[in-house]
Amino acid sequence: MEYNKIRDGLTVSKIALGCWRMDALSDDSSYDVVQNALNHGINFFDNADIYGNGVSEEKFGKAWKRTGVMRENIYILSKAGICAEEGYYDFSKNHIVEAVNGSLKRLQTEYLDVLLLHRPDTLYDPEEVSEAFEELYASGKVRFFGVSNQNSFQISHLRKFVKQDIIFNQMQFNVTHTNLIDAGLTVNNYFDSAIDRSDGVLEYCRENDIALQAWSPFQYGFFEGVYIDNPKYEKLNIELKKVAEMQGVNTSAVAVAWILRHPAFKQVIIGTMNPDRLSAICEAVTVKLTKQQWYDLYKSAGNMIP
Ligand SMILES: NC(=O)c1ccc[n+]([C@@H]2O[C@H](COP(=O)([O-])OP(=O)(O)OC[C@H]3O[C@@H](n4cnc5c(N)ncnc54)[C@H](OP(=O)(O)O)[C@@H]3O)[C@@H](O)[C@H]2O)c1
C-alpha cells in the first residue's frame, strides 16, 4: 500500500474501504473483508449514518473490533446530513450532533477521525454547522471535518463560518465519470464537455489544500452498473487490458490507478465486499501510468480533448 499525508496525524492509505454495501454481509463475511483490507495496508474506512440504515456501521464496528486492531491504528470516517427515510437534507446543529452520536455508538468508538457533510442542504444555516463542529471538536468526538458532493462556492461559504479546516471533499469520479476535469480540459470551447458541471471544484480544492476522495470508482452514471468488462465500454476495456497486461495486474487495478494518477485525488474509496477482488484492486498502487496511457484511457471512455 502507499499513503498520503493529509494533515499531521492523518496519513491515509491511497485506497480506502467504503462500507456502504456491508449491511448485506454476515458478521463473518464483514470480518473477512475488513481483515483482508487491513492485511493489504488499508487504514481508512468510509462510513455514513445512512448506509444500510445504520446496519453497515454496526457491521463494520463489530468487524474491526474482532480484528483486534488498535483504534489509533485505523481511521474511521462517517457522514451526516441526509435524512434518507424522510427524503431531505439537514445540516441543523441538532441533526449533525445526533447523527454523530448515533454513528459513534454503532461503530463502537469514542471518536470519528473525519466527519463529512454528506450532500449539500440548500436551506442550511452556516452558524449552526459552525456550532455543531465546535461542539463535536471540543468534546473530542470528531478530529477532522470535510464535505462531500459540494461545489467550490458551497465550500467557500462554509469555510467563512467554521473554525475547523475543511480537509476533504468526497466526489464521484472515475474514467467514465469525469465531470470534474472535462470543462478544465476544454476551457472556452463549444463542445458540450466545456459546460462546467462542478463549478471548478477540483481546481478550488487543489488551491485550498482540500484532498479529493473518489467514490464509486467502478460505477458509470448514477449507479447504472460497472464499466469493467461491460460491452457498453468496449474501447475502454481494450485499453484497460492493454495496460493491465503490461503491468501484470487486472483491469480494475488499472482503473483505480487512473484515478490516483490525478494529483488532486488523494484517495479512492472502493466498495467491493469480495476479499479476492479487493486484493487485486490493491495492486493499483504498483501501477505507474504515463501521461500517454492516462490520456488514452480518458479518450477510450468516450471523452475528447481539443
Ligand atoms: N459520498 C457519497 O455521496 C458516496 C456515494 C456513494 C458511495 N460512497 C462511498 O464510496 C464507496 C464505494 O462505492 P461503490 O460501492 O459504489 O463503489 P465501487 O467500488 O465502484 O463498486 C463496488 C460494487 O461493484 C461491484 N463490482 C462488480 N464488478 C466489479 C469489478 N470488476 N471491480 C470492482 N467492483 C465490482 C462490487 O461487487 P462485489 O462486492 O461482489 O465485488 C460492488 O457491489 C461506498 O462504500 C461508500 O463508502 C460515497
Coordinates of all heavy atoms in Angstrom, one line a residue, residues 35-87:
Q35 N -10.6 -7.6 7.6 CA -9.3 -8.1 7.9 C -8.4 -8.2 6.7 O -7.2 -7.9 6.7 CB -9.5 -9.6 8.5 CG -8.1 -10.2 8.9 CD -7.4 -9.4 10.0 OE1 -7.9 -9.3 11.1 NE2 -6.2 -8.9 9.7
N36 N -9.0 -8.5 5.6 CA -8.3 -8.5 4.3 C -7.8 -7.1 3.9 O -6.7 -6.9 3.5 CB -9.1 -9.1 3.2 CG -8.3 -9.5 2.0 OD1 -7.2 -10.0 2.1 ND2 -8.8 -9.1 0.8
A37 N -8.7 -6.1 4.1 CA -8.3 -4.8 3.8 C -7.1 -4.4 4.7 O -6.1 -3.8 4.2 CB -9.5 -3.8 4.1
L38 N -7.1 -4.7 6.0 CA -6.0 -4.4 6.9 C -4.7 -5.1 6.4 O -3.7 -4.5 6.5 CB -6.4 -4.8 8.3 CG -7.5 -4.0 9.0 CD1 -7.9 -4.7 10.3 CD2 -7.0 -2.6 9.3
N39 N -4.9 -6.4 6.0 CA -3.7 -7.1 5.6 C -3.0 -6.4 4.4 O -1.8 -6.6 4.2 CB -4.1 -8.6 5.1 CG -4.6 -9.4 6.3 OD1 -4.4 -9.0 7.4 ND2 -5.3 -10.5 6.0
H40 N -3.8 -5.7 3.6 CA -3.3 -5.0 2.4 C -2.8 -3.6 2.8 O -2.4 -2.8 1.9 CB -4.3 -5.0 1.3 CG -4.4 -6.3 0.6 ND1 -3.5 -6.8 -0.3 CD2 -5.3 -7.3 0.7 CE1 -3.8 -8.0 -0.7 NE2 -4.9 -8.3 -0.1
G41 N -2.9 -3.2 4.0 CA -2.4 -1.9 4.4 C -3.4 -0.8 4.4 O -3.1 0.4 4.6
I42 N -4.7 -1.2 4.1 CA -5.7 -0.2 4.1 C -5.9 0.2 5.6 O -6.1 -0.6 6.4 CB -7.0 -0.7 3.5 CG1 -6.8 -0.9 2.0 CG2 -8.2 0.2 3.8 CD1 -8.0 -1.5 1.2
N43 N -5.9 1.6 5.8 CA -6.0 2.0 7.2 C -7.2 3.0 7.3 O -7.4 3.6 8.4 CB -4.7 2.7 7.7 CG -4.4 4.0 7.0 OD1 -5.2 4.5 6.1 ND2 -3.3 4.6 7.3
F44 N -8.0 3.1 6.3 CA -9.1 4.1 6.2 C -10.4 3.5 5.8 O -10.5 2.8 4.8 CB -8.7 5.2 5.2 CG -9.4 6.5 5.4 CD1 -8.8 7.6 6.0 CD2 -10.7 6.6 4.8 CE1 -9.5 8.8 6.1 CE2 -11.4 7.8 4.9 CZ -10.8 8.9 5.6
F45 N -11.4 3.7 6.6 CA -12.7 3.1 6.4 C -13.8 4.2 6.3 O -14.0 5.0 7.2 CB -13.0 2.1 7.5 CG -12.0 1.0 7.5 CD1 -10.8 1.1 8.3 CD2 -12.1 -0.1 6.7 CE1 -9.8 0.1 8.2 CE2 -11.2 -1.1 6.7 CZ -10.0 -1.0 7.4
D46 N -14.5 4.2 5.2 CA -15.5 5.2 4.9 C -16.9 4.7 5.2 O -17.4 3.6 4.8 CB -15.5 5.5 3.4 CG -16.4 6.6 3.0 OD1 -16.0 7.8 3.2 OD2 -17.6 6.4 2.6
N47 N -17.6 5.4 6.1 CA -19.0 5.0 6.5 C -19.9 6.2 6.4 O -19.5 7.3 6.0 CB -18.9 4.6 8.0 CG -18.2 3.3 8.3 OD1 -18.7 2.3 8.1 ND2 -16.9 3.4 8.6
A48 N -21.2 6.0 6.6 CA -22.2 7.1 6.7 C -23.3 6.5 7.6 O -23.6 5.3 7.6 CB -22.7 7.5 5.4
D49 N -24.0 7.5 8.3 CA -25.1 7.1 9.2 C -26.2 6.3 8.4 O -26.8 5.4 8.9 CB -25.6 8.3 10.0 CG -26.1 9.4 9.1 OD1 -25.8 9.4 7.9 OD2 -26.8 10.3 9.6
I50 N -26.3 6.7 7.1 CA -27.5 6.2 6.4 C -27.2 4.8 5.7 O -28.1 4.2 5.2 CB -28.0 7.2 5.3 CG1 -26.9 7.5 4.3 CG2 -28.6 8.4 5.9 CD1 -27.4 8.2 3.0
Y51 N -25.9 4.4 5.6 CA -25.6 3.2 4.9 C -26.3 2.0 5.6 O -26.1 1.7 6.7 CB -24.1 2.9 4.8 CG -23.4 3.9 3.9 CD1 -22.0 4.1 4.0 CD2 -24.1 4.8 3.0 CE1 -21.3 5.0 3.1 CE2 -23.4 5.7 2.2 CZ -22.0 5.8 2.3 OH -21.4 6.7 1.5
G52 N -27.2 1.4 4.8 CA -27.9 0.2 5.3 C -28.8 0.6 6.5 O -29.0 -0.2 7.4
N53 N -29.2 1.9 6.5 CA -30.0 2.4 7.6 C -29.3 2.2 9.0 O -29.9 1.9 10.0 CB -31.3 1.7 7.6 CG -32.4 2.6 7.9 OD1 -32.2 3.8 8.3 ND2 -33.7 2.1 7.8
G54 N -28.0 2.3 9.0 CA -27.2 2.2 10.2 C -26.6 0.8 10.4 O -25.6 0.6 11.1
V55 N -27.1 -0.2 9.6 CA -26.6 -1.6 9.7 C -25.2 -1.7 9.3 O -24.3 -2.4 9.8 CB -27.5 -2.6 9.0 CG1 -27.0 -4.0 9.0 CG2 -28.9 -2.5 9.6
S56 N -24.8 -0.9 8.2 CA -23.4 -1.0 7.7 C -22.4 -0.6 8.8 O -21.4 -1.2 9.0 CB -23.2 -0.2 6.5 OG -24.1 -0.7 5.5
E57 N -22.7 0.5 9.5 CA -21.8 1.0 10.6 C -21.8 -0.1 11.7 O -20.7 -0.4 12.2 CB -22.4 2.3 11.2 CG -22.1 3.5 10.3 CD -22.4 4.8 10.9 OE1 -23.3 4.9 11.8 OE2 -21.7 5.8 10.6
E58 N -22.9 -0.7 12.0 CA -22.9 -1.8 13.0 C -22.0 -2.9 12.6 O -21.2 -3.4 13.4 CB -24.3 -2.3 13.3 CG -25.1 -1.5 14.2 CD -26.6 -1.8 14.2 OE1 -26.9 -2.9 13.7 OE2 -27.4 -1.1 14.8
K59 N -22.1 -3.4 11.4 CA -21.3 -4.5 10.9 C -19.8 -4.1 10.9 O -19.0 -4.9 11.3 CB -21.7 -4.8 9.4 CG -23.1 -5.4 9.3 CD -23.1 -6.9 9.4 CE -24.6 -7.3 9.3 NZ -24.8 -8.7 9.6
F60 N -19.5 -2.9 10.5 CA -18.1 -2.5 10.5 C -17.6 -2.4 11.9 O -16.5 -2.9 12.2 CB -17.9 -1.2 9.7 CG -16.5 -0.7 9.9 CD1 -15.5 -1.3 9.2 CD2 -16.2 0.3 10.8 CE1 -14.1 -0.9 9.4 CE2 -14.8 0.7 11.0 CZ -13.8 0.1 10.3
G61 N -18.4 -1.8 12.8 CA -18.0 -1.7 14.2 C -17.6 -3.1 14.8 O -16.6 -3.3 15.4
K62 N -18.5 -4.1 14.5 CA -18.2 -5.4 15.1 C -17.0 -6.0 14.4 O -16.2 -6.6 15.1 CB -19.4 -6.4 14.7 CG -20.6 -6.3 15.7 CD -21.5 -7.5 15.3 CE -22.9 -7.1 15.9 NZ -23.9 -7.9 15.3
A63 N -16.9 -5.8 13.1 CA -15.8 -6.4 12.4 C -14.4 -5.9 12.8 O -13.5 -6.6 13.1 CB -15.9 -6.2 10.9
W64 N -14.3 -4.5 12.9 CA -12.9 -4.0 13.3 C -12.6 -4.4 14.7 O -11.4 -4.7 15.0 CB -12.8 -2.5 13.0 CG -13.3 -1.5 14.0 CD1 -14.5 -0.9 14.0 CD2 -12.6 -1.1 15.2 NE1 -14.6 -0.1 15.1 CE2 -13.4 -0.2 15.9 CE3 -11.4 -1.4 15.8 CZ2 -13.1 0.5 17.0 CZ3 -11.0 -0.7 17.0 CH2 -11.9 0.2 17.6
K65 N -13.6 -4.4 15.6 CA -13.3 -4.9 17.0 C -12.8 -6.3 17.0 O -11.8 -6.6 17.7 CB -14.6 -4.8 17.8 CG -15.0 -3.4 18.2 CD -14.3 -3.1 19.5 CE -14.6 -1.6 19.9 NZ -13.9 -1.2 21.1
R66 N -13.4 -7.1 16.2 CA -13.0 -8.5 16.1 C -11.5 -8.7 15.5 O -10.9 -9.7 15.9 CB -14.0 -9.3 15.3 CG -13.8 -10.8 15.3 CD -15.1 -11.5 14.7 NE -14.7 -12.7 14.1 CZ -15.5 -13.4 13.2 NH1 -16.7 -12.9 12.9 NH2 -15.1 -14.6 12.8
T67 N -11.1 -7.8 14.7 CA -9.7 -7.9 14.2 C -8.7 -7.7 15.2 O -7.5 -8.1 15.1 CB -9.5 -6.9 13.0 OG1 -9.5 -5.6 13.6 CG2 -10.4 -7.0 11.9
G68 N -9.1 -7.0 16.3 CA -8.2 -6.7 17.4 C -7.2 -5.5 17.1 O -6.4 -5.2 17.9
V69 N -7.4 -4.9 16.0 CA -6.6 -3.8 15.6 C -6.8 -2.6 16.6 O -8.0 -2.4 17.0 CB -6.8 -3.3 14.1 CG1 -8.1 -2.7 13.9 CG2 -5.7 -2.4 13.7
M70 N -5.8 -1.9 17.0 CA -6.0 -0.8 18.0 C -6.7 0.3 17.3 O -6.4 0.6 16.1 CB -4.6 -0.3 18.5 CG -3.7 -1.3 19.1 SD -4.2 -1.7 20.8 CE -3.5 -0.3 21.6
R71 N -7.5 1.0 18.0 CA -8.3 2.1 17.4 C -7.4 3.2 16.8 O -7.7 3.7 15.7 CB -9.2 2.7 18.5 CG -10.0 3.9 18.0 CD -11.1 3.6 16.9 NE -11.7 4.8 16.4 CZ -11.3 5.5 15.4 NH1 -10.1 5.3 14.8 NH2 -12.0 6.6 15.0
E72 N -6.3 3.4 17.5 CA -5.4 4.5 16.9 C -4.7 4.1 15.7 O -4.0 4.9 15.0 CB -4.4 5.0 18.0 CG -3.5 4.0 18.6 CD -4.1 3.3 19.9 OE1 -5.4 3.2 19.9 OE2 -3.3 2.9 20.7
N73 N -4.8 2.8 15.3 CA -4.1 2.4 14.1 C -5.0 2.4 12.8 O -4.5 2.0 11.8 CB -3.5 1.0 14.3 CG -2.3 1.0 15.3 OD1 -1.7 2.1 15.5 ND2 -2.1 -0.1 16.0
I74 N -6.2 2.8 13.0 CA -7.1 2.9 11.8 C -7.8 4.3 11.9 O -7.8 4.9 12.9 CB -8.2 1.8 11.7 CG1 -9.0 1.8 13.0 CG2 -7.5 0.5 11.4 CD1 -10.3 0.9 12.8
Y75 N -8.2 4.7 10.7 CA -9.0 6.0 10.6 C -10.4 5.6 10.2 O -10.6 4.8 9.3 CB -8.4 6.9 9.5 CG -7.0 7.3 9.8 CD1 -6.0 7.1 8.9 CD2 -6.7 8.0 11.0 CE1 -4.7 7.5 9.2 CE2 -5.4 8.4 11.3 CZ -4.4 8.2 10.4 OH -3.1 8.6 10.6
I76 N -11.4 6.2 10.9 CA -12.8 5.9 10.6 C -13.4 7.3 10.2 O -13.4 8.2 11.0 CB -13.5 5.3 11.8 CG1 -12.9 4.0 12.2 CG2 -15.0 5.1 11.5 CD1 -13.5 3.3 13.4
L77 N -14.1 7.3 9.1 CA -14.8 8.4 8.6 C -16.3 8.1 8.6 O -16.7 7.0 8.3 CB -14.4 8.8 7.2 CG -15.1 9.9 6.4 CD1 -14.2 10.5 5.3 CD2 -16.4 9.5 5.7
S78 N -17.1 9.0 9.0 CA -18.6 8.9 8.8 C -19.1 10.2 8.3 O -18.5 11.2 8.3 CB -19.3 8.4 10.0 OG -20.6 7.9 9.6
K79 N -20.4 10.1 7.8 CA -21.0 11.3 7.2 C -22.4 11.5 7.8 O -23.0 10.6 8.3 CB -21.2 11.1 5.7 CG -20.0 10.5 5.0 CD -20.2 10.4 3.5 CE -19.2 9.5 2.9 NZ -19.4 8.1 3.1
A80 N -22.8 12.8 7.8 CA -24.1 13.1 8.3 C -24.8 14.1 7.4 O -24.1 14.8 6.6 CB -24.0 13.7 9.7
G81 N -26.1 14.3 7.5 CA -26.7 15.4 6.8 C -27.8 14.9 5.9 O -28.5 15.7 5.3
I82 N -27.9 13.6 5.7 CA -29.0 13.1 4.8 C -30.1 12.4 5.7 O -29.7 11.6 6.6 CB -28.5 12.1 3.8 CG1 -27.5 12.7 2.8 CG2 -29.7 11.5 3.0 CD1 -27.0 11.8 1.7
C83 N -31.3 12.8 5.6 CA -32.4 12.1 6.3 C -33.0 11.2 5.2 O -33.9 11.6 4.4 CB -33.5 13.0 6.8 SG -32.8 14.2 7.9
A84 N -32.4 10.0 5.1 CA -32.7 9.1 3.9 C -34.2 8.7 3.9 O -34.8 8.7 2.8 CB -31.8 7.9 3.9
E85 N -34.7 8.2 5.0 CA -36.1 7.7 5.0 C -37.1 8.8 4.7 O -38.0 8.6 4.0 CB -36.4 7.1 6.4 CG -35.5 5.9 6.7 CD -36.2 4.8 7.3 OE1 -37.0 5.0 8.2 OE2 -36.1 3.6 6.8
E86 N -36.8 10.0 5.3 CA -37.8 11.1 5.1 C -37.6 11.8 3.7 O -38.5 12.4 3.2 CB -37.6 12.1 6.2 CG -37.8 11.6 7.6 CD -36.6 10.9 8.3 OE1 -35.6 10.7 7.5 OE2 -36.7 10.5 9.4
G87 N -36.4 11.7 3.2 CA -36.1 12.2 1.8 C -35.8 13.7 1.8 O -36.3 14.5 1.0

